[in-house]
Amino acid sequence: MRAIWQLDLPTNESSEDYHFESSIFIKNNHIYFLCYHFTNEKRQLSLNIIDKNSGTTEKIIPINGRTTIPSQCFFQEYKSKIIIYTGELWIFDGMTLERLSVDTIDDKINSYFIFDNCLIFADASSLYSIDLDFCKLKWKIHIPNTKNYIVGDISLFENSIACYGKDQLLFVDISSGQLLNQIKIPRVDKLFQPMRMDDGTLLIGFTNWSNAGIIRYDETNKKIIWKGSRSFEGPLLRRKIYLKDNRVYWVKNDTELICLNANTGDEIYRAKTSPWLYTDLLFTGNQVLYGTAGRDGFLVNLDSICGNEKWAFPLKNGCAFFDFYKNSAIVGDFNKKIYQIDIATGKVLQEINVDGEVVGQIKVCNNDIYTVIWGDTNRPVRLIKLNI
């Protein structure tokens, strides 16, 4: 690996809520970076457009209005446009940045996806659909909830939107916003991410305040076929289930991976993801890769069939981000290094000292790596490009 360029960014990390997550977006020959600078406890935000090849800043566009912390921002591509969320929604057409006209978003966007020509998203109490061709609100519906039951992660399910409100799983028509169906299961608080099995039954994730797991549910007869659960204290944070090769995977309170037989609900194995799971589970062949953090952590390769750990690569301050390159993983840490790790063996193929703690997303594009490294008293925060 070799360094191609480094770009000093007009930002600092003095605020306690400063994170670089979700702040880098690459499209064609440009990098789009949301840059925050804190002065006198006031957050200033700008969209920085950077030439991907030379590392020079071509344009800086100030963004006014309500802002949120970087870890809650996102970019989404739609046709030739870029959708940007910064606490408010914006659309960039390559020349101008326009605020999308939306009724007041009650709270931060916690889940979203694009379907056809619409951006579908949820905040703390409502679902929204925005027509991206005409840049206007298509529909907005209120989801019944209480303070402890916000609208959960939404997913696309058979051309409808699946989400949970209070004590029930809701199915909403994606075109009109009309409620199509709802599932309520006694003594279950939150239901999410339904998956249809070949026989027509559903796999549904659930979480209560003291336990969580998976339910296989007969929707026609309103009957639980099986229920696999584990006890813990506190709500489940990473609300996502995975179905692969007739096995269903979920993570208990971000500390333990559970694998169940999708037909019977029998537990096949459980594997630690401690200190805390910080990434999604990424399956490749019969392997599952994930990152853990909490002080220090690991990039882990687990045998998805038997649950045995193939290898765990230690990383200072943990592994919040990694990306794939051919048959390897690219990851960085607070040792001021970026590593290329062979997925099969866990051996380091290459490493490079980047003279800064790696805090940003790892983005691999063709044969190049883009990420953000922290500054110190001598150098500011930097966006860097490396060639693999």
Side-chain angles (χ1 to χ4, degrees), residues 151-188:
V151 177
D153 295 344
I154 63 174
S155 60
L156 180 64
F157 180 76
E158 300 174 352
N159 292 328
S160 68
I161 305 163
C163 72
Y164 68 76
K166 181 183 178 184
D167 302 334
Q168 55 193 340
L169 180 64
L170 307 175
F171 298 91
V172 177
D173 183 81
I174 203 163
S175 298
S176 65
Q178 297 296 310
L179 182 63
L180 299 174
N181 192 15
Q182 53 194 6
I183 293 176
K184 184 177 178 65
I185 299 177
R187 296 178 297 280
V188 174

Side-chain angles (χ1 to χ4, degrees), residues 79-267:
K79 296 181 178 178
S80 61
K81 304 172 183 177
I82 301 174
I83 313 303
I84 307 170
Y85 174 66
T86 64
E88 294 183 307
L89 282 165
W90 304 81
I91 190 163
F92 183 66
D93 63 4
M95 296 295 293
T96 58
L97 185 69
E98 178 184 354
R99 182 188 281 111
L100 285 171
S101 178
V102 182
D103 289 353
T104 302
I105 300 175
D106 302 323
D107 200 351
K108 69 178 181 66
I109 294 177
N110 56 46
S111 189
Y112 60 90
F113 62 83
I114 289 178
F115 181 78
D116 286 342
N117 64 328
C118 291
L119 174 68
I120 311 296
F121 65 91
D123 62 15
S125 61
S126 301
L127 273 177
Y128 304 75
S129 175
I130 294 180
D131 187 311
L132 296 175
D133 289 329
F134 295 96
C135 298
K136 66 178 184 179
L137 183 68
K138 188 174 181 180
W139 53 258
K140 173 185 177 181
I141 62 170
H142 177 71
I143 302 296
N145 64 79
T146 67
K147 184 177 181 181
N148 293 327
Y149 295 90
I150 66 171
V151 177
D153 295 344
I154 63 174
S155 60
L156 180 64
F157 180 76
E158 300 174 352
N159 292 328
S160 68
I161 305 163
C163 72
Y164 68 76
K166 181 183 178 184
D167 302 334
Q168 55 193 340
L169 180 64
L170 307 175
F171 298 91
V172 177
D173 183 81
I174 203 163
S175 298
S176 65
Q178 297 296 310
L179 182 63
L180 299 174
N181 192 15
Q182 53 194 6
I183 293 176
K184 184 177 178 65
I185 299 177
R187 296 178 297 280
V188 174
D189 293 338
K190 302 179 182 180
L191 298 163
F192 56 90
Q193 199 183 347
M195 295 181 179
R196 181 77 67 185
M197 300 294 288
D198 291 339
D199 64 354
T201 60
L202 295 175
L203 285 175
I204 308 174
F206 78 91
T207 174
N208 292 329
W209 279 97
S210 59
N211 62 78
I214 310 293
I215 291 171
R216 187 163 182 177
Y217 185 71
D218 183 336
E219 188 179 6
T220 302
N221 298 307
K222 295 181 171 53
K223 178 182 177 182
I224 294 176
I225 299 171
W226 58 255
K227 179 179 179 182
S229 65
R230 293 290 307 281
S231 298
F232 64 90
E233 296 297 327
L236 187 67
L237 302 179
R238 196 168 292 278
R239 301 181 185 92
K240 194 166 186 178
I241 62 176
Y242 304 80
L243 180 63
K244 185 178 186 295
D245 299 330
N246 206 40
R247 296 176 175 211
V248 59
Y249 301 82
W250 66 284
V251 178
K252 186 199 82 169
N253 209 31
D254 291 345
T255 60
E256 194 172 39
L257 171 62
I258 314 295
C259 175
L260 305 177
N261 183 301
N263 285 331
T264 65
D266 293 336
E267 183 177 302

Side-chain angles (χ1 to χ4, degrees), residues 30-57:
H30 291 95
I31 300 169
Y32 299 85
F33 186 85
L34 288 173
C35 204
Y36 289 77
H37 185 73
F38 296 88
T39 55
N40 300 322
E41 299 184 355
K42 184 178 181 181
R43 180 186 289 117
Q44 304 290 330
L45 174 63
S46 62
L47 175 64
N48 289 240
I49 304 173
I50 300 156
D51 185 279
K52 188 175 69 173
N53 297 314
S54 66
T56 56
T57 301

